[in-house]
Every structure is written in structure tokens, then in C-alpha cells.
Amino acid sequence: MSRTMEWAARAEHLRGIPRKLVIAAVGGFAKTVSSFLNTADVHNGDTLLRLVRSRPHRVPLITVSNHMSTLDDPVMWGFKGFPIFDTNLARWVLAAEDICFRNALYSYIFRVGKCIPITRGGGIYQEHMNEALERLNDGEWLHTFPEGKVYQEDAPIRQLKWGTASLIVRAPITPIVLPIVHHGFHEL
């Protein structure tokens, strides 16, 4: 089903209006949850902001983080000063096809919101990994959860899957890689 929704992931789809609406709604939710309903201490957030806003032209950015909740993305981007309403600066993210793309409505919303469906266990050469590679080739920002699924234990990052490493190696321009560790989202 997600294959038929690739058109929804294009920036020019309906003049970008659906993307602006989804990014604004999700960004507003993220800002509300992370800044107003909870407390967040962000260390080195200025590095992420600098890389999102002004890295060298056409140089891709890959952020990687642990995965403690289905709300990690988008809530982790709601911290003070983060450009949550700018569709050009919004991340692309690899998202579990069996959760985020289970019906046509979800597929449309997640695709418009810059999510790339990944079939867990589908390997590093699955169709949509090529789409992620295309985003990197365009110099875009891609966020991944290399653990491959949510882990709610308060423990170090688990064994990582090969997908993120394969994207780094296969990208024609070596991406900037920024690791992110967050804590507490499993309590939301």
C-alpha cells in the first residue's frame, strides 16, 4: 500500500499545502508536549540546530537515536528554538510500515509528513531504503532509529541494525552523522 503513496511524499504534492498542514500540526503537538506539558533538558541542541539550518550545501545529515516510545519522533523535535513549522528543514524519518502505514489514511499522513516506510526484517536493500538514499543524495536530513524498534527499558542502546550504516556507506556524499540520546519519553 505504501508504494502507491510515494506521490504524497513529494514536496510539490498539492502545492505543498498538505505537508505544511501536517508538519504544523505535528510540530505544534511536539512543542506542546515537550515544552509545556513536560520539562526537557537539551544538551548541545545548538549543534543540531546549526546542522539542520546551515550545513554545507548538498551535504546530507543523518541523526540516529535510541527509541523509547512511539512519540520519540516527533516530540524530540519540540524543544525550544527548534524550527518545527518549516517544511524545508523538517527531517525525513524511517518509519515502521506495519505501524505507521497500516491503512490508506495513516499512509497518506505519514508520507506527507516526510516518513519513509521500512519493512522490519526486509533487509538493507529493500525498496524504500533506496528512497532514503535518494533523500540523502538530495542533501536532506534523515533521522533513524537503528535499534529497529521501541525499547522501553532504561538501558543503553541495544544491538543496532545494519540499515543506517548501509545508508552512510552507500551515500555518494558522506553524510554528517549526529547521535542523539534521549531519556524519559517512555513515561509520556
Side-chain angles (χ1 to χ4, degrees):
M1 177 181 302
S2 60
R3 178 75 179 148
T4 62
M5 293 279 183
E6 284 188 13
W7 49 267
R10 295 187 192 121
E12 65 275 5
H13 166 61
L14 296 176
R15 296 184 178 165
I17 294 169
R19 176 167 291 166
K20 288 176 185 171
L21 292 173
V22 167
I23 297 291
V26 173
F29 169 78
K31 181 66 76 178
T32 300
V33 171
S34 68
S35 297
F36 301 120
L37 300 178
N38 292 283
T39 58
D41 293 322
V42 178
H43 303 279
N44 297 321
D46 56 324
T47 300
L48 175 62
L49 288 171
R50 181 177 43 79
L51 290 172
V52 167
R53 288 185 173 134
S54 61
R55 66 187 174 279
H57 180 66
R58 304 226 10 111
V59 174
L61 170 64
I62 295 179
T63 52
V64 296
S65 73
N66 56 321
H67 202 4
M68 298 187 79
S69 164
T70 56
L71 292 178
D72 293 348
D73 184 293
V75 172
M76 65 191 298
W77 314 122
F79 67 87
K80 185 177 180 180
F82 198 81
I84 57 170
F85 299 115
D86 189 329
T87 60
N88 294 319
L89 297 180
R91 91 295 167 260
W92 287 89
V93 64
L94 302 181
E97 188 170 38
D98 60 323
I99 295 172
C100 300
F101 298 87
R102 68 174 93 179
N103 62 46
L105 178 62
Y106 283 12
S107 295
Y108 181 75
I109 291 169
F110 280 99
R111 291 300 259 162
V112 166
K114 298 177 83 171
C115 298
I116 300 170
I118 294 298
T119 303
R120 291 190 266 197
I124 62 174
Y125 296 108
Q126 63 181 282
E127 172 184 10
H128 293 293
M129 287 296 281
N130 291 330
E131 182 182 345
L133 190 58
E134 289 172 21
R135 299 295 72 79
L136 295 174
N137 291 344
D138 294 338
E140 297 275 358
W141 167 26
L142 176 69
H143 184 73
T144 69
F145 296 100
E147 293 174 292
K149 66 179 186 176
V150 171
Y151 285 101
Q152 291 192 334
E153 296 95 36
D154 188 15
I157 292 178
R158 303 284 189 265
Q159 181 177 356
L160 305 181
K161 305 295 181 185
W162 289 104
T164 302
S166 77
L167 291 170
I168 294 167
V169 169
R170 293 167 41 197
I173 298 173
T174 303
I176 297 168
V177 180
L178 182 66
I180 298 171
V181 177
H182 59 82
H183 171 75
F185 285 154
H186 62 291
E187 297 172 3
L188 291 177

